[in-house]
Amino acid sequence: MLKLEKVTKQYLDILFEDVSFLLGNNEKVGLVGLNGCGKTTMLRIITEEEKPDQGKVEIVNETIGYLQQEFEFEKDKLVGEFLEELVDDPYSEMYKVKIILTKLNLIEIDEFQYIRNLSEGQKMKLKLTELLIKEPTILLLDEPTNHLDIDGILWFEQFINEFIGICIIISHDREFLNNTVDRIFEIDEKSLYIFEGNYDDYLIGKKKFIKDRAQQFSFQERKRRRLENLINNARKISNGKQRGKAIKAAKTRLKREVLSKEINDYEERKVRKFGIAGFVHNSKKVIETCKLGFGYQSHKKIIQNTDFSIFGKERIWFYGRNGIGKTTFINLLRGELSPQTGIVSWGENISWTYFSQDQSHLGMEATVEEYFLKNTGIPYDKSFGALERFLFPKEFRNYKLKVLSPGQRARLSFCIFSQHKYDFLILDEPTNHLDIQTKEVIEQALSNFDGAMLLISHDRYFVSSIGINRTITLENRKIIDTGEDLIL
């Protein structure tokens, strides 16, 4: 049993207050809300990594497994060393690790390589292995699908459905939530709202909630006006004693019938619609490779003798399991890695940008204001409106990037994107960490983008929403067009 009773947490401002719920009987919950609303803080309160300002958490006969959104490994740790440390006796108990690795499709991983050289998805699966070996009865999962490939996500959906225990899952993967949870908890207006069913059910419930709230607010304001008019009319009574009684009675009614249970008009907080400017002619060469070859080890090529090209407004989805070399190929295209054989050739005067799933390159000590101005060059006075459009009000301008949530940092990157013009976008898991409301706005912006796009993503909802017209994968060390319809 997991119980929260009137839990409140505040930093500079209140994140949430009077949160109460009771979970048991293998309930599976999706926890949603805008980036920065307090979802991760709530999980940290449950694990006692943070203390609530008010209220209490009660956990009875349960073992908690907590998968954090951001995690690190020891710098020079080998995969094999890490795996052996998960069990008490590596000689007799490694079969437990092997079972989990098999389920995660990680059984063939090279145990003699450094963890730092793994893909982000492979690192994620190692953390999942560390979590599952402890056989938890409560799973707290903060964006568990961010770095999993589609096969991994499908396996994880099955695992959640078969898991005998309580799950609270912070996720912005709408398809994953549809397939795994039976309740949605939403942090909104500094409160917790509970909706029965999966994510699609939540959308229906939230729409009804907003409609009912609008009707309640309208009724409240009509009653307020009537009672305020009653007070004004009472003030016109000539008899002083009667006037005083009438005013007092009307004010008492106003307090009892309106002020004591006053509600605000509901205002949905979300990134305002924006566009990403750009244009490229249909016949224009964007980028091309000829006999491209690369490998981190001379005897083990990732890419070999590969010809590939992008022309015009092609929208390409680059899919495949983790570790096959998708990010490596992108790094070759953008010059971060040098080909060992062959060439990469860009079209003339192509303006392009790159969105990385790894946020370590960001200047974490810079403030929001400093980072935005440095990377846009727009006038200081115009920066206020641009940042507020992406939910960075004035009080956020002096926050350092390191104190922002991963989703807020991703949102800031898109805020900067929107200030430039591009012919070509290279997007490596761009929706990782982003809340669902922001994803929906970005989907629309990318759908309307008039240039070329190369996308790596395992977010099935997202991929199906932005007008993909070509799909590729890496097979037998070559980029190939699959020629398949997009099936999600």
Side-chain angles (χ1 to χ4, degrees):
M1 180 197 75
L2 170 61
K3 181 179 180 181
L4 267 67
E5 186 174 351
K6 294 187 177 300
V7 169
T8 295
K9 186 64 180 180
Q10 178 175 357
Y11 293 119
L12 296 176
D13 192 12
I14 293 175
L15 280 178
F16 46 78
E17 56 185 339
D18 291 332
V19 169
S20 298
F21 62 79
L22 175 66
L23 292 177
N25 298 324
N26 305 323
E27 290 184 274
K28 311 295 194 302
V29 172
L31 181 57
V32 302
L34 280 177
N35 295 129
C37 71
K39 301 185 296 296
T40 296
T41 300
M42 185 172 292
L43 297 192
R44 290 173 62 84
I45 286 174
I46 294 172
T47 62
E48 298 186 338
E49 292 181 31
E50 293 197 35
K51 299 294 183 183
D53 297 319
Q54 297 178 25
K56 63 180 182 178
V57 177
E58 185 178 354
I59 300 172
V60 179
N61 298 325
E62 305 285 0
T63 301
I64 293 179
Y66 176 34
L67 181 67
Q68 300 181 27
Q69 182 174 172
E70 293 184 298
F71 48 81
E72 294 182 351
F73 295 90
E74 291 182 34
K75 183 179 178 181
D76 294 320
K77 178 77 70 174
L78 294 173
V79 171
E81 290 179 312
F82 176 81
L83 294 175
E84 289 184 353
E85 290 172 0
L86 298 182
V87 294
D88 293 330
D89 186 354
Y91 294 100
S92 63
E93 296 183 312
M94 283 303 291
Y95 73 93
K96 299 178 183 178
V97 175
K98 298 294 185 183
I99 290 173
I100 296 172
L101 293 178
T102 300
K103 290 180 178 179
L104 287 170
N105 294 322
L106 207 61
I107 193 65
E108 295 182 0
I109 192 169
D110 182 357
E111 296 186 2
F112 294 98
Q113 67 177 313
Y114 290 108
I115 293 176
R116 64 172 182 265
N117 292 332
L118 299 178
S119 72
E120 294 302 312
Q122 290 171 316
K123 292 176 185 176
M124 179 68 162
K125 288 182 179 182
L126 279 188
K127 275 295 179 183
L128 283 174
T129 304
E130 181 181 29
L131 174 69
L132 298 177
I133 199 72
K134 299 174 183 177
E135 300 182 346
T137 58
I138 296 178
L139 288 179
L140 306 178
L141 307 172
D142 197 344
E143 294 292 357
T145 65
N146 265 357
H147 301 296
L148 293 177
D149 56 33
I150 289 178
D151 288 341
I153 292 172
L154 293 174
W155 173 83
F156 204 61
E157 287 178 356
Q158 181 179 352
F159 170 80
I160 295 298
N161 289 324
E162 295 176 354
F163 177 71
I164 301 175
I166 298 167
C167 290
I168 301 180
I169 308 168
I170 298 175
S171 180
H172 302 132
D173 185 327
R174 291 155 286 185
E175 188 70 20
F176 179 75
L177 290 175
N178 271 337
N179 295 335
T180 55
V181 305
D182 44 45
R183 299 172 87 182
I184 295 289
F185 286 5
E186 181 185 27
I187 300 177
D188 190 15
E189 299 182 307
K190 303 176 183 178
S191 298
L192 185 74
Y193 295 102
I194 298 176
F195 299 85
E196 297 298 326
N198 63 15
Y199 185 78
D200 283 346
D201 296 323
Y202 153 76
L203 290 178
I204 297 170
K206 186 60 181 287
K207 186 175 181 180
K208 182 178 185 301
F209 167 83
I210 293 173
K211 181 180 179 181
D212 292 346
R213 175 74 166 268
Q215 293 175 341
Q216 293 166 4
F217 181 75
S218 177
F219 177 74
Q220 169 189 279
E221 294 309 295
R222 290 198 303 271
K223 179 174 285 190
R224 186 199 305 273
R225 288 192 293 271
R226 287 199 302 269
L227 292 174
E228 287 175 345
N229 287 335
L230 187 62
I231 293 172
N232 290 332
N233 290 334
R235 291 193 174 107
K236 299 175 183 178
I237 298 174
S238 58
N239 184 293
K241 188 174 181 179
Q242 290 180 349
R243 182 172 62 250
K245 287 183 178 180
I247 292 173
K248 183 178 179 181
K251 285 185 175 181
T252 298
R253 285 191 61 190
L254 178 64
K255 182 177 180 180
R256 182 180 68 247
E257 297 177 23
V258 177
L259 300 181
S260 65
K261 48 188 177 182
E262 189 173 18
I263 62 172
N264 296 321
D265 190 16
Y266 182 77
E267 181 179 357
E268 186 177 16
R269 292 185 67 244
K270 63 188 298 184
V271 172
R272 283 179 277 165
K273 292 180 181 179
F274 71 98
I276 301 176
F279 176 80
V280 62
H281 291 286
N282 285 328
S283 59
K284 183 174 177 60
K285 179 178 119 176
V286 176
I287 195 168
E288 188 173 21
T289 73
C290 180
K291 300 188 183 303
L292 188 68
F294 180 84
Y296 291 102
Q297 301 173 22
S298 59
H299 65 283
K300 190 175 181 181
K301 293 286 187 181
I302 295 174
I303 297 165
Q304 188 170 9
N305 201 31
T306 290
D307 297 334
F308 172 75
S309 61
I310 299 175
F311 282 84
K313 304 180 194 296
E314 290 188 296
R315 293 168 174 264
I316 302 171
W317 179 36
F318 187 7
Y319 71 94
R321 60 180 175 79
N322 287 331
I324 65 172
K326 299 188 297 294
T327 298
T328 296
F329 181 70
I330 280 181
N331 286 337
L332 287 166
L333 295 185
R334 64 191 191 91
E336 190 68 18
L337 294 174
S338 298
Q340 293 168 345
T341 59
I343 60 171
V344 175
S345 172
W346 282 86
E348 186 177 356
N349 297 322
I350 292 293
S351 172
W352 63 277
T353 192
Y354 170 62
F355 187 102
S356 172
Q357 62 175 309
D358 180 8
Q359 298 183 343
S360 62
H361 65 285
L362 301 179
M364 295 297 182
E365 292 299 324
T367 65
V368 169
E369 178 181 291
E370 290 168 346
Y371 189 75
F372 178 80
L373 293 175
K374 177 182 178 182
N375 288 280
T376 62
I378 73 171
Y380 176 79
D381 60 336
K382 292 185 178 180
S383 67
F384 288 87
L387 285 168
E388 287 175 357
R389 176 182 292 274
F390 283 80
L391 304 183
F392 291 104
K394 292 180 181 178
E395 56 267 29
F396 272 81
R397 294 177 69 89
N398 292 321
Y399 282 25
K400 290 188 176 182
L401 268 62
K402 66 181 181 182
V403 304
L404 299 180
S405 72
Q408 288 171 317
R409 293 196 289 265
R411 194 195 306 151
L412 181 60
S413 294
F414 274 103
C415 181
I416 291 169
F417 274 22
S418 70
Q419 308 303 314
H420 297 281
K421 182 178 180 179
Y422 302 106
D423 304 309
F424 180 39
L425 302 178
I426 302 175
L427 308 171
D428 190 354
E429 297 290 358
T431 59
N432 278 2
H433 311 300
L434 286 172
D435 57 70
I436 293 170
Q437 295 94 323
T438 302
K439 278 187 183 183
E440 291 170 347
V441 177
I442 289 171
E443 286 168 359
Q444 184 171 2
L446 292 176
S447 296
N448 295 329
F449 176 63
D450 206 21
M453 187 188 311
L454 178 59
L455 169 71
I456 294 175
S457 178
H458 299 124
D459 187 325
R460 293 157 287 178
Y461 248 84
F462 181 76
V463 171
S464 64
S465 300
I466 62 172
I468 293 297
N469 54 32
R470 181 181 172 191
T471 59
I472 65 172
T473 191
L474 188 57
E475 189 174 293
N476 296 324
R477 299 184 294 279
K478 290 186 178 182
I479 296 294
I480 63 168
D481 284 82
T482 64
E484 299 172 350
D485 292 331
L486 192 62
I487 300 174
L488 297 173

